[in-house]
Amino acid sequence: MTQNDDILIVGGGLNGPVLALALAKSGFGVTILDAAERDTHTDPDFDGRSYALALASCRLLAAIDIWDKIEDQAQPMREIKVSDGRAGEGPSPWILHFDHREMEEGPMGHMIEDRVLRTALQDAIDAHPAITHLTGARVTAQEVGPSGVTLTLASGDTLSGGMLVGADGRQSGTAARAGIGRKGWGYGQTAVVCAVSHEKDHGGIAHQFFMPAGPLAILPLTQRRSSIVWSETDARAAELMSMDDAAFLDALRPAFGSFLGEIALTGKRFSYPLGLTLADSFIAPRIALVGDAAHGVHPIAGQGLNAGLRDVAALAEVLADARRRGEDPGSAGPLGRYQQWRRFDTTTLAIATDTFNRLFSNNNPALRLVRDIGMAAVNSVPGLRTTFMREAAGLTGDLPRLMRG
Ligand SMILES: Cc1cc2nc3c(=O)[nH]c(=O)nc-3n(C[C@H](O)[C@H](O)[C@H](O)COP(=O)(O)OP(=O)(O)OC[C@H]3O[C@@H](n4cnc5c(N)ncnc54)[C@H](O)[C@@H]3O)c2cc1C
């Protein structure tokens, strides 16, 4: 099989398909390859996550005609309440409160379930005439020439394009094959993720409880349901995963509290080991990295995918502008502009999430005092609150055109 598309994207997770749609909208031909077999990603048992999508990310999805297909299944996040807690004691009264009514753009973002987003993306890339979607296609080698890149698949087939984008996740083979090193470490924490239904309405309020072993996030979904992201030590998470549903709920209740009434599990539990990974460079000759392939962060602030989508919007803009100006999109100039745009921001995000996790995932009384004073201080200054809300909504900094709405 030989194909000569403009741009090859390795990785059909979340960032890869969004990039394919954004590039196709600008007139590029795109081939997207994923090692997973067709329909794996849209199987309800594949991934239990739900994502807090910042307003800027929702705008990007609107620009590529995905948002109108999922909006009715997305839950607006109207408020965020952050509090401190101790195992077995339940949460303290909230000490940091963000309310979207203080921001003129509306809700800071929306919660969307993984399977809803993936299904819409898969349908859209399958239907787009400028996108070739290859599944069950594991890339094993890549060769970069002066004007293009050739990929070799596990099947032995080869495929050529003008440039290559690695959207192949935290263990990016694209980066490794290009000789790009990475820094990173594990946190000794695992996130246990599930969805619960509850008696009372959540009112679109997201809660983050900082517990000594890691944060517990209760994030509003549609129809009186919430997504739980419970970061615990690896050992405790393994215990939680091995419990039957009743024992798991008994363990969850003291941390969750009773503010939403009686709770029940609505599906399976999933677990994700947590760590940080940052590529030493986001580019190599004729290659760019986006999403977790470039930076994988702790979910404490719900920003990993949002940061990836910002890479996607920035890269799509840089490549489209290059083409319009008659430049070779895969050449050093455009790729350098992409790296300059995104690397500093994502490094800052990685450092911030790492620091927050260290500061909040412990029971040290002095640190508890420092963080409680810090949160109370932010809470008491309206200007500072709004700045944090705009940051969470993804509206700060140099916004790519596709995220401006
Ligand atoms: C518990 C948890 C909660 C989270 N919550 C949020 C949140 O609320 N908000 C938020 O913004 N972010 C959140 N995130 C982060 C978010 O999930 C990730 O940033 C996002 O899923 C990364 O997507 P990706 O497309 O970059 O990579 P991936 O989803 O890892 O996709 C990589 C793809 O590459 C393919 N691939 C790999 N190697 C090859 C190969 N050799 N050949 C072909 N294909 C290959 C794989 O099959 C895979 O499909 C959370 C993360 C966790 C762990």
Side-chain angles (χ1 to χ4, degrees):
M1 172 177 54
T2 317
Q3 226 166 305
N4 222 327
D5 279 272
D6 294 359
I7 297 179
L8 305 172
I9 300 175
V10 180
L14 294 168
N15 286 300
V18 176
L19 179 64
L21 290 164
L23 290 172
K25 213 169 169 80
S26 301
F28 287 97
V30 185
T31 295
I32 181 160
L33 305 97
D34 201 282
E37 293 299 335
R38 214 194 135 69
D39 297 332
T40 310
H41 286 159
T42 50
D43 185 314
D45 282 348
F46 174 68
D47 199 320
R49 280 176 289 193
S50 295
Y51 306 105
L53 281 184
L55 175 57
S57 301
C58 301
R59 288 177 177 173
L60 167 62
L61 295 180
I64 58 166
D65 306 320
I66 290 293
W67 186 245
D68 60 334
K69 303 194 173 69
I70 60 174
E71 189 177 7
D72 63 340
Q73 296 173 79
Q75 168 63 46
M77 274 194 304
R78 302 185 200 287
E79 296 175 49
I80 302 176
K81 291 182 176 178
V82 182
S83 58
D84 230 337
R86 276 201 180 94
E89 287 180 13
S92 65
W94 55 266
I95 49 180
L96 185 52
H97 182 198
F98 300 116
D99 187 331
H100 81 285
R101 282 169 292 196
E102 290 182 55
M103 224 178 67
E104 60 194 44
E105 288 87 351
M108 290 158 267
H110 285 74
M111 285 301 300
I112 190 84
E113 287 159 78
D114 179 89
R115 63 190 168 80
V116 172
L117 183 56
R118 283 191 202 260
T119 305
L121 289 172
Q122 178 163 304
D123 290 349
I125 57 175
D126 284 347
H128 203 297
I131 300 175
T132 306
H133 180 199
L134 302 178
T135 52
R138 176 173 296 281
V139 175
T140 54
Q142 68 205 29
E143 202 180 295
V144 178
S147 59
V149 180
T150 299
L151 297 179
T152 305
L153 309 187
S155 61
D157 291 338
T158 61
L159 206 72
S160 299
M163 71 168 283
L164 167 64
V165 180
D168 46 352
R170 286 171 169 256
Q171 269 96 40
S172 171
T174 305
R177 287 185 289 271
I180 299 175
R182 44 202 323 127
K183 311 265 179 307
W185 43 81
Y187 288 118
Q189 291 171 318
T190 295
V192 175
V193 172
C194 61
V196 295
S197 59
H198 33 74
E199 263 178 330
K200 297 186 190 163
D201 196 8
H202 49 51
I205 304 172
H207 296 265
Q208 177 88 283
F209 300 150
F210 289 114
M211 312 293 281
L216 168 70
I218 302 173
L219 306 161
L221 298 176
T222 52
Q223 298 161 352
R224 281 199 184 166
R225 292 175 308 137
S226 291
S227 168
I228 306 294
V229 183
W230 190 1
S231 303
E232 265 291 351
T233 60
D234 291 337
R236 177 64 178 153
E239 252 173 56
L240 292 169
M241 289 302 293
S242 68
M243 292 173 180
D244 63 25
D245 286 359
F248 175 76
L249 281 172
D250 284 346
L252 177 63
R253 277 190 196 98
F256 192 105
S258 55
F259 68 106
L260 289 175
E262 210 25 70
I263 55 173
L265 281 170
T266 62
K268 276 178 51 169
R269 274 165 272 157
F270 297 79
S271 67
Y272 304 84
L274 302 179
L276 178 130
T277 174
L278 193 59
D280 292 343
S281 171
F282 287 9
I283 56 170
R286 301 219 157 259
I287 295 173
L289 303 177
V290 297
D292 279 19
H295 45 77
V297 298
H298 195 289
I300 190 164
Q303 286 300 329
L305 178 58
N306 290 308
L309 293 176
R310 200 146 163 156
D311 300 343
V312 162
L315 183 61
E317 181 171 326
V318 162
L319 298 182
D321 285 352
R323 198 152 103 148
R324 207 170 299 125
R325 282 199 290 262
E327 262 180 302
D328 172 357
S331 62
L335 294 185
R337 290 199 286 280
Y338 165 64
Q339 157 132 292
Q340 201 177 6
W341 195 346
R342 291 302 300 145
R343 186 123 202 284
F344 178 74
D345 263 17
T346 42
T347 306
T348 310
L349 174 69
I351 294 170
T353 51
D354 188 73
T355 309
F356 280 142
N357 188 46
R358 284 170 204 279
L359 184 62
F360 284 98
S361 299
N362 67 68
N363 208 9
N364 179 313
L367 282 181
R368 276 178 76 99
L369 186 66
V370 169
R371 70 201 191 205
D372 287 358
I373 291 172
M375 288 201 290
V378 172
N379 201 51
S380 63
V381 183
L384 215 51
R385 275 203 312 269
T386 317
T387 305
F388 270 80
M389 277 189 279
R390 295 186 65 77
E391 189 72 38
L395 298 177
T396 54
D398 187 5
L399 261 190
R401 284 197 294 268
L402 288 169
M403 292 185 142
R404 288 185 206 151

